[in-house]
Amino acid sequence: MNIEKLKGKLAFLREAEKLKDVLRSSHTSSGRAESTAEHSWRLCLMAMAFEEELAGLDVLKVLKLCVVHDLGEAIHGDIPAVSQGAHLDKSERERADLLTLMAPLDEKLRGELLALWDEYENAASPEAKAVKALDKLETILQHNQGANPEDFDYAFNLGYGRKHTGTTPLFSALRALVDDDTRRRIVPPFDS
């Protein structure tokens, strides 16, 4: 047992804890701002819930990708889905933040986590493509379920992540269901 490696892992976990305080633009069903850690937790739960439909994928790898995909946000926070187009350097910044966060880790573990993050970011495997789709679907699901402010733009959901959610019959079916939820949340304009 290498005590220095253990200390490094504990230091990393202490820093990663900050993800619990990173708030997203989504709200929970009680109206509280959702944290990135909560989003990642439900993304893992989604992967488990749809494991049977994800046959042929390495589910352990899927879960690892779910856990790692937003880890870099522990440092500079989340960029809301509606604002991501204005932040073209989001990926580079999040990767740099992840490297900073992982600095206390031994080289082997740091490399494994970075490889998972890169795989997700580049949708470089069937597992990463699945997590990309689930990530977008979880965000839309939370938008629809949350007790959001009155001016929340539900129509945004209808276009969000479409590139990733139309890749398999499962994701297309889930997309249709959450789109139906979105349409029910869109309030028709008031006629005067």
Side-chain angles (χ1 to χ4, degrees):
M1 184 178 327
N2 181 324
I3 294 299
E4 291 309 309
K5 280 175 78 171
L6 296 179
K7 286 181 181 178
K9 289 177 182 183
L10 288 174
F12 163 73
L13 291 169
R14 287 183 190 107
E15 288 301 304
E17 185 270 347
K18 292 177 181 175
L19 204 58
K20 293 179 180 182
D21 289 326
V22 173
L23 300 180
R24 294 167 53 93
S25 62
S26 299
H27 291 77
T28 66
S29 56
S30 70
R32 180 181 52 77
E34 174 197 34
S35 76
T36 299
E38 290 167 322
H39 159 71
S40 295
W41 163 78
R42 189 156 80 164
L43 182 58
C44 291
L45 193 59
M46 282 181 79
M48 291 172 63
F50 295 112
E51 180 177 1
E52 185 176 306
E53 290 83 3
L54 298 173
L57 297 184
D58 178 345
V59 177
L60 178 58
K61 185 179 213 179
V62 166
L63 291 171
K64 288 179 178 183
L65 290 163
C66 290
V67 170
V68 169
H69 87 287
D70 278 341
L71 198 50
E73 292 180 10
I75 295 181
H76 283 104
D78 176 59
I79 297 173
V82 297
S83 304
Q84 288 178 2
H87 296 271
L88 300 178
D89 65 341
K90 176 189 181 300
S91 181
E92 292 82 18
R93 176 161 206 150
E94 202 169 311
R95 190 177 195 276
D97 288 347
L98 179 62
L99 287 168
T100 299
L101 186 69
M102 295 187 309
L105 295 174
D106 61 274
E107 187 176 337
K108 180 179 181 285
L109 183 53
R110 195 169 49 244
E112 289 171 7
L113 294 177
L114 185 60
L116 285 166
W117 189 89
D118 285 339
E119 183 177 334
Y120 167 80
E121 193 64 20
N122 297 310
S125 67
E127 289 83 2
K129 288 175 183 171
V131 174
K132 282 272 188 188
L134 290 171
D135 178 45
K136 305 313 178 203
L137 291 164
E138 196 287 328
T139 297
I140 297 167
L141 186 66
Q142 191 60 53
H143 284 173
N144 289 337
Q145 185 177 5
N148 299 304
E150 283 188 32
D151 64 345
F152 192 86
D153 182 12
Y154 291 100
F156 168 81
N157 286 352
L158 295 174
Y160 180 64
R162 210 159 270 293
K163 165 181 152 181
H164 300 289
T165 58
T167 56
T168 70
L170 167 65
F171 300 137
S172 294
L174 290 171
R175 181 63 195 235
L177 293 169
V178 297
D179 281 353
D180 286 346
D181 288 345
T182 295
R183 287 184 190 94
R184 283 191 286 277
R185 296 295 306 252
I186 295 174
V187 178
F190 179 74
D191 292 330
S192 51

